Amino acid sequence: MNLIKYKFLLLLFLSVILPDFFQVKADVDKEFNDKINENYTEIIGQYPFQERRNDIGIFYDFAWDKDSKKIIIKRDNQNLPIIRFSLFNKDIQPGISVKKYNDIDLSQTSDGEIKKLHKQNVEAKLTFKDNQIISLKSNIYNYNDIKLANFYLEHINSIDTNKGLLEITFIANFTNKRPELNSLAKGLLGDGLYCANDSKPHPINEIKIKEYKYDVDIRTGTRTPVPAEDCYPIFFTYDNNEVKTFRQESGIGQFRQVFNFKNFPFDKQKLKISITPEVNSNQKISQLYPNTGYAAVTFLTPERGAFLTLEEYITNVSKNYLKEWTVTNAYIESEEIITENYYSPYSNKTYPFHENSINLVLDIERNSAHYVYKIIIPVFLILSVAWFVLWIPTHHLESRLTTSIVALLALIAYNFVFSDDIPKLDYLTALDKYILLSYIFCCIPTFMSIGFSRFIVRNQRMVTTINKRLRSWLGLIYLLASIQIFSF
């Protein structure tokens, strides 16, 4: 009886307090967004950037140190840092290693020191791995770095190689520091999420996960229709006196893939999930959106949590429900996407469009035992039956022909066993080559029997000798050719 009484009192308390709580939070949301609108031009400017820099505009690629569980600068086999993006000099391509900054050997320089060196407002001389030297002057530019905070790969639902589709269930969280809003949030915001309206641009909203299609019934994110009573699916957070925007994308996503089946059924594939900021990074940004009058660079970079969540998927074997594939690795890599002649409908001009995007990469390997046991071994046995025709006396023509033709028909039937597993290709897979080789060697006994029928009356001994030599040498040739086909 007392328990029922306490539950009733608790429900009564919540019914009184909660509406007021949500009303207060809604009032704070509105007040903070009103402050942003009122101070937008003075505090934020035309487009929100995290900071304004004055340096040579060289940025290094990232890598994940599995041992120390931290993000480091990506380096080559000589410990030289690798460039991710050059803002002002397009002759410096992504992937180039830098040997020296002025006279400083970067292979012996820590990540922290390299970052400090490249943020200096000085002219610098870079020496590259091939000993090419380029001098760079310091320039002013705006800087943004949007973070992929984590990427929970909950399940790989399916890999459709015929349609070229990867389907996964995931949760992705993005964050973006907004230092220009700290003064407006002080004394107003606390812990929790606060709605951000869409009347002003938010860089985090530009992020695009490149999906094959977006189904609002199974996906939730910024492209999902928002009911009138709910807020825009981007939020403000305020922690440690710092404002960030927060965005979550979740549900089931489908992604186009390019498969290479040359080694089928022993093939390994790389599946990529591309995420791009869809904002131009260019030294001539004054001509483009966002029109700030300065050069600008926007990065999308993974945080530590994104690597940890992918590692957790790989180590948790129970999450891999795929029977045909094994996921061997999951990692994140950078990619610069360049559209040389991007057309702007606003300025009616074309220009190079650079996007500093990332790819979530899944390395997968086909479980080939099915094809070994149900295709390769049976085909070999069928061919063996056809080949043993050569041990039947050459004058038994009818027996030899019947056996070899039946074996050939059985081989043709087996070709349909795997025909639906891969798309119709314009090149031969390893299994195609093996089947084709088996066709040829399955036909040889038939051709030999027919050919011998013309000469057996004239010279029985010669026919028998040829038959004996061919069954040994051609069998060896078949085995060596088969090994060559599957050696890659």
Side-chain angles (χ1 to χ4, degrees):
M1 186 66 181
N2 288 335
L3 182 60
I4 296 174
K5 179 180 177 181
Y6 288 138
K7 286 184 177 179
F8 174 76
L9 290 175
L10 179 61
L11 288 173
L12 181 64
F13 173 77
L14 292 176
S15 66
V16 173
I17 296 298
L18 285 180
D20 291 337
F21 170 78
F22 286 116
Q23 182 59 45
V24 169
K25 185 179 181 303
D27 291 342
V28 173
D29 291 342
K30 184 177 184 307
E31 184 178 350
F32 185 58
N33 282 288
D34 287 345
K35 273 190 172 186
I36 294 173
N37 292 333
E38 292 168 5
N39 297 276
Y40 195 86
T41 303
E42 293 181 12
I43 296 178
I44 303 171
Q46 292 177 299
Y47 187 84
F49 285 94
Q50 290 171 338
E51 60 180 297
R52 183 163 292 164
R53 294 184 175 182
N54 190 350
D55 56 48
I56 60 175
I58 293 292
F59 304 90
Y60 290 98
D61 208 348
F62 58 83
W64 174 245
D65 188 336
K66 292 183 178 180
D67 297 328
S68 60
K69 304 296 181 187
K70 67 179 184 181
I71 298 173
I72 59 175
I73 289 178
K74 187 176 182 180
R75 297 175 184 258
D76 65 11
N77 55 7
Q78 297 180 18
N79 204 40
L80 301 177
I82 298 173
I83 285 180
R84 179 181 182 183
F85 181 68
S86 171
L87 177 59
F88 297 111
N89 191 320
K90 296 308 175 187
D91 291 332
I92 303 174
Q93 297 295 315
I96 294 178
S97 301
V98 182
K99 186 184 293 184
K100 291 182 179 180
Y101 177 95
N102 291 331
D103 294 324
I104 300 172
D105 184 358
L106 296 187
S107 67
Q108 305 298 320
T109 308
S110 68
D111 289 0
E113 288 299 317
I114 289 176
K115 291 176 183 178
K116 286 181 183 179
L117 286 173
H118 286 75
K119 290 184 72 174
Q120 296 181 104
N121 179 13
V122 294
E123 184 174 348
K125 182 175 63 176
L126 297 184
T127 304
F128 297 94
K129 189 174 182 178
D130 60 359
N131 292 320
Q132 180 187 11
I133 298 175
I134 294 180
S135 295
L136 296 168
K137 293 183 178 180
S138 181
N139 289 283
I140 299 174
Y141 63 94
N142 289 320
Y143 174 84
N144 253 340
D145 192 7
I146 302 166
K147 300 293 187 179
L148 173 64
N150 44 51
F151 191 95
Y152 296 97
L153 180 57
E154 296 187 329
H155 301 292
I156 298 178
N157 303 329
S158 65
I159 299 173
D160 192 329
T161 53
N162 270 303
K163 294 182 179 178
L165 285 178
L166 163 69
E167 181 182 286
I168 64 171
T169 302
F170 72 101
I171 300 174
N173 293 326
F174 301 91
T175 60
N176 183 217
K177 291 182 180 180
R178 298 293 297 275
E180 79 282 5
L181 301 180
N182 291 343
S183 60
L184 303 180
K186 190 174 182 180
L188 179 62
L189 301 187
D191 292 335
L193 297 175
Y194 299 87
C195 292
N197 63 42
D198 60 346
S199 62
K200 298 296 181 183
H202 300 289
I204 202 170
N205 188 41
E206 307 290 340
I207 297 296
K208 182 180 180 183
I209 303 176
K210 293 192 172 181
E211 299 170 69
Y212 167 60
K213 64 179 180 180
Y214 189 100
D215 189 337
V216 296
D217 293 328
I218 57 176
R219 274 283 279 114
T220 303
T222 55
R223 293 166 62 190
T224 304
V226 182
E229 65 273 11
D230 291 341
C231 64
Y232 190 57
I234 292 178
F235 300 89
F236 290 113
T237 65
Y238 189 62
D239 300 295
N240 301 318
N241 298 319
E242 186 175 61
V243 177
K244 294 181 182 179
T245 46
F246 172 84
R247 169 182 166 187
Q248 184 176 91
E249 298 286 331
S250 61
I252 296 175
Q254 293 183 332
F255 305 90
R256 279 290 187 197
Q257 303 297 322
V258 177
F259 293 96
N260 185 339
F261 297 103
K262 287 187 177 180
N263 296 331
F264 174 82
F266 303 100
D267 51 325
K268 299 176 182 179
Q269 306 289 346
K270 284 187 181 294
L271 308 180
K272 291 186 178 182
I273 300 169
S274 297
I275 311 176
T276 174
E278 289 211 319
V279 175
N280 188 42
S281 296
N282 204 301
Q283 72 270 31
K284 297 179 180 179
I285 203 75
S286 59
Q287 303 173 5
L288 318 173
Y289 173 82
N291 185 13
T292 61
Y294 292 97
V297 59
T298 298
F299 286 103
L300 174 61
T301 307
E303 284 193 310
R304 183 168 173 262
F307 289 98
L308 290 173
T309 49
L310 286 177
E311 272 192 357
E312 193 273 336
Y313 178 85
I314 295 298
T315 55
N316 191 345
V317 181
S318 63
K319 284 190 174 183
N320 186 10
Y321 294 98
L322 298 171
K323 300 304 179 185
E324 188 176 355
W325 300 92
T326 298
V327 183
T328 58
N329 196 14
Y331 55 94
I332 304 173
E333 63 180 15
S334 66
E335 181 182 11
E336 183 187 2
I337 301 174
I338 304 175
T339 305
E340 289 292 349
N341 293 300
Y342 176 82
Y343 174 76
S344 170
Y346 308 105
S347 62
N348 196 27
K349 294 180 180 179
T350 59
Y351 44 77
F353 198 94
H354 298 258
E355 297 175 86
N356 295 299
S357 65
I358 59 174
N359 296 321
L360 280 73
V361 184
L362 301 173
D363 288 338
I364 61 172
E365 185 174 345
R366 192 186 298 272
N367 298 325
S368 55
H370 164 81
Y371 300 95
V372 172
Y373 296 138
K374 294 190 176 181
I375 297 178
I376 295 177
I377 292 178
V379 164
F380 178 77
L381 294 176
I382 292 171
L383 182 62
S384 299
V385 171
W387 204 249
F388 276 111
V389 166
L390 299 180
W391 272 260
I392 299 176
T394 53
H395 60 277
H396 292 171
L397 178 61
E398 185 176 346
S399 299
R400 289 170 64 109
L401 286 176
T402 301
T403 305
S404 58
I405 290 175
V406 169
L408 180 60
L409 292 175
L411 188 60
I412 293 172
Y414 252 94
N415 196 36
F416 296 97
V417 173
F418 67 95
S419 60
D420 293 333
D421 290 342
I422 58 175
K424 305 300 182 287
L425 304 170
D426 59 351
Y427 57 86
L428 295 178
T429 68
L431 189 58
D432 289 331
K433 293 177 182 177
Y434 176 72
I435 296 292
L436 183 59
L437 179 71
S438 300
Y439 279 156
I440 294 171
F441 276 79
C442 194
C443 290
I444 287 175
T446 304
F447 297 152
M448 289 174 62
S449 297
I450 296 172
F452 289 160
S453 67
R454 295 178 58 87
F455 301 100
I456 195 167
V457 177
R458 301 180 194 174
N459 195 334
Q460 171 71 42
R461 180 177 296 179
M462 182 189 71
V463 169
T464 303
T465 302
I466 294 173
N467 183 82
K468 184 178 180 180
R469 290 179 178 177
L470 287 178
R471 72 189 180 194
S472 301
W473 283 103
L474 290 178
L476 180 61
I477 292 171
Y478 174 79
L479 290 175
L480 293 175
S482 298
I483 292 172
Q484 176 64 30
I485 287 171
F486 293 120
S487 297
F488 30 73

